[in-house]
Amino acid sequence: MSARMHGTPRGSTILFATLILATVATWGMGSLGVTGTWGVAILAAISFWKGAVVILDFMALRHAPLLWRAITMGWIIVVWALIAIAYIKGLAQ
């Protein structure tokens, strides 16, 4: 396994620790009752970043062919677009 393709164990550990901290941060925001458009936007941005890290680094697609990256990142974009549409429609009611 090349370090260029899959990263280093140290880099993966740092990313994993950062993912854990991001999870704890979003849990803390939920526990504290952070609401409103900005709170939801921050939570969405953190979760989108977490998904991108998992896709690109832990699934080792960062250096994969463009088609694979486009499919996986496109999937996460579609999911978040649908969540955003549902949230905005919910605000309108």
Side-chain angles (χ1 to χ4, degrees):
M1 256 198 269
S2 74
R4 180 192 161 287
M5 186 67 128
H6 298 288
T8 62
R10 177 181 163 89
S12 294
T13 302
I14 290 170
L15 273 177
F16 182 70
T18 306
L19 287 170
I20 291 173
L21 289 175
T23 300
V24 170
T26 55
W27 174 80
M29 289 175 69
S31 294
L32 294 174
V34 175
T35 58
T37 305
W38 285 106
V40 171
I42 291 168
L43 291 171
I46 291 171
S47 71
F48 182 85
W49 174 80
K50 287 170 50 178
V53 167
V54 169
I55 289 169
L56 296 175
D57 293 308
F58 288 100
M59 292 174 62
L61 292 176
R62 185 171 299 280
H63 301 288
L66 178 61
L67 178 62
W68 288 109
R69 289 190 317 249
I71 289 170
T72 55
M73 291 304 293
W75 171 80
I76 198 169
I77 290 168
V78 167
V79 168
W80 270 111
L82 292 172
I83 290 171
I85 290 167
Y87 180 73
I88 291 168
K89 285 180 112 7
L91 287 179
Q93 293 181 353

